[in-house]
């Protein structure tokens, strides 16, 4: 909520604490203050519109993306009668939408999803978020480890942001367990550097990969769009490539 503006450590005596993990998200004043905002960041010039809807019973086990002109609308199953909607829209288009009310946006969502969802009812309000790419250069310092979106933020088109966080968590858990078993100091720079060395390179490549994908879906030129669509159609027919891509989305990179 931004209530905590800064943290001062009374003592660096590690009998008081070994490790502090900061997971206050991407827009945290705390992180910016402590880490001097050492990051690579740029705005996609887009806003995400998110909400959840109830609908008639369907076998809801497939996530879908509807690629519109300059907009992507994702349907992410929650249950057979509930779906989460993530719709990314260019800021200039969003400004036009903003002059209208939420009812207008709800009507658009119903219109776009009508082939998949019937009898749609909105069960949460509509939320907005600016969409950015963020890659933090430094993962830790002085017994403080950054975590989650504080480290990396990607475009939601691939639905991979939290998956990256979970992979980091698996690495962190394994490394810390191992060090605790050996009786080592878990906040020491050697251990934090091990966590960082394992997670940072793969997060870097993964973030750039998603950014590349996002840029491919932002092509405006017809020839580029046609070329992209041809590649997607070809890849879609190739089960070997599809398996590789599913595996990448599921498990990430392994070096
Ligand atoms: C539109 C959209 C759709 C997405 N869809 C997907 C998806 O389908 N799949 C997927 O894997 N990922 C998705 N993501 C990414 C996912 O939401 C994030 O990666 C994930 O929420 C990151 O979790 P986090 O805990 O690091 O940060 P956050 O979720 O941002 O949580 C940080 C928390 O810290 C709190 N906080 C901040 N400052 C302070 C402070 N000083 N003191 C106390 N508390 C503080 C904040 O209020 C917040 O509650 C999506 C993201 C967006 C924007």
């Amino acid at each position: 909520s931004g209530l905590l503006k800064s943290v001062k450590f009374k003592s660096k005596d590690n009998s008081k604490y070994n490790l502090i993990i900061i997971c206050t998200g991407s827009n945290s004043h705390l992180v910016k203050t402590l880490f001097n905002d050492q990051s690579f960041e740029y705005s996609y010039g887009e806003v995400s519109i998110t909400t959840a809807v109830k609908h008639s019973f369907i076998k809801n086990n497939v996530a879908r993306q509807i690629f519109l002109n300059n907009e992507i609308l994702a349907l992410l199953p929650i249950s057979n009668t509930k779906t989460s909607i993530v719709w990314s829209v260019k800021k200039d288009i969003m400004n036009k939408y903003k002059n209208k009310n939420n009812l207008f946006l709800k009507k658009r969502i119903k219109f776009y999803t009508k082939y998949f969802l019937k009898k749609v009812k909105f069960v949460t309000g509509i939320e907005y978020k600016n969409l950015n790419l963020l890659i933090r250069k430094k993962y830790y310092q002085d017994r403080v480890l950054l975590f989650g979106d504080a480290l990396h933020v990607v475009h939601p088109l691939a639905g991979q942001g939290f998956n990256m966080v979970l992979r980091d968590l698996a690495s962190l858990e394994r490394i810390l367990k191992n060090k605790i078993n050996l009786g080592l100091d878990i906040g020491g720079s050697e251990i934090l550097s091990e966590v960082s060395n394992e997670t940072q390179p793969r997060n870097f490549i993964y973030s750039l990969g998603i950014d590349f994908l996002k840029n491919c879906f932002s092509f405006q030129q017809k020839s580029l769009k046609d070329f992209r669509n041809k590649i997607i159609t070809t890849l879609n027919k190739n089960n070997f490539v599809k398996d590789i891509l599913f595996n990448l989305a599921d498990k990430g990179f392994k070096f």
Side-chain angles (χ1 to χ4, degrees):
S1 64
L3 282 176
L4 261 176
K5 296 289 182 210
S6 67
V7 172
K8 275 195 188 130
F9 305 120
K10 271 193 180 161
S11 138
K12 298 224 162 164
D13 172 5
N14 59 18
S15 64
K16 299 235 178 339
Y17 59 84
N18 294 96
L19 172 63
I20 293 169
I21 300 176
I22 298 187
C23 41
T24 47
S26 60
N27 206 14
S28 161
H29 182 76
L30 183 62
V31 177
K32 284 178 188 164
T33 313
L34 276 176
F35 282 71
N36 295 325
D37 213 12
Q38 295 172 53
S39 60
F40 169 74
E41 187 170 9
Y42 82 79
S43 163
Y44 284 111
E46 290 182 8
V47 176
S48 66
I49 300 170
T50 48
T51 188
V53 295
K54 261 191 162 176
H55 45 79
S56 321
F57 186 95
I58 49 167
K59 197 175 172 212
N60 204 11
N61 57 0
V62 178
R64 294 175 198 279
Q65 306 246 55
I66 304 171
F67 290 91
L68 306 154
N69 210 7
N70 276 324
E71 300 173 27
I72 305 171
L73 192 136
L75 285 76
L76 308 166
I78 300 172
S79 70
N80 287 335
T81 55
K82 219 171 163 189
T83 297
S84 165
I85 307 286
V86 178
W87 178 16
S88 52
V89 178
K90 284 264 170 228
K91 274 186 180 164
D92 48 345
I93 300 175
M94 187 62 213
N95 288 339
K96 284 183 207 156
Y97 288 166
K98 265 196 176 151
N99 296 332
K100 325 233 175 192
N101 53 24
N102 275 358
L103 202 65
F104 170 80
L105 291 177
K106 287 180 180 176
K107 274 189 183 164
R108 290 293 291 252
I109 291 172
K110 278 187 179 173
F111 176 76
Y112 289 143
T113 57
K114 67 181 176 187
Y115 294 110
F116 308 105
L117 309 177
K118 309 283 177 208
K119 293 191 180 165
V120 166
K121 279 201 176 109
F122 289 80
V123 288
T124 63
I126 293 189
E127 288 179 17
Y128 307 91
K129 193 166 182 183
N130 288 329
L131 297 178
N132 301 318
L133 171 76
L134 176 126
I135 302 175
R136 197 159 289 283
K137 290 181 193 157
K138 210 171 170 189
Y139 274 33
Y140 69 93
Q141 68 183 25
D142 301 334
R143 296 191 174 277
V144 179
L145 176 69
L146 296 181
F147 210 78
D149 272 19
L151 288 177
H152 40 71
V153 179
V154 292
H155 193 282
L157 98 152
Q160 284 293 312
F162 192 60
N163 286 284
M164 290 170 73
V165 179
L166 291 178
R167 281 176 214 126
D168 288 353
L169 195 57
S171 294
L172 180 67
E173 189 192 17
R174 185 176 35 73
I175 292 171
L176 290 190
K177 251 188 191 165
N178 190 5
K179 305 302 171 191
I180 289 168
N181 286 342
L182 294 170
L184 297 174
D185 168 16
I186 57 166
S189 62
E190 268 173 38
I191 288 160
L192 297 187
S193 125
E194 190 177 331
V195 175
S196 168
N197 288 343
E198 180 166 317
T199 53
Q200 194 169 19
R202 69 170 186 226
N203 286 336
F204 179 72
I205 296 177
Y206 213 77
S207 302
L208 291 187
I210 293 170
D211 185 55
F212 173 75
L213 204 62
K214 159 70 192 128
N215 289 330
C216 288
F217 283 105
S218 302
F219 289 153
Q220 294 302 317
Q221 254 176 292
K222 192 180 172 308
S223 56
L224 286 175
K225 277 186 186 173
D226 290 346
F227 180 61
R228 175 200 65 207
N229 292 345
K230 252 186 200 160
I231 290 182
I232 292 174
T233 314
T234 313
L235 291 182
N236 203 28
K237 286 181 193 152
N238 188 324
N239 284 339
F240 176 69
V241 177
K242 264 163 74 175
D243 279 351
I244 293 178
L245 294 176
F246 282 142
N247 224 20
L248 262 181
D250 194 23
K251 300 196 175 112
F253 286 112
K254 279 197 177 143
F255 297 131

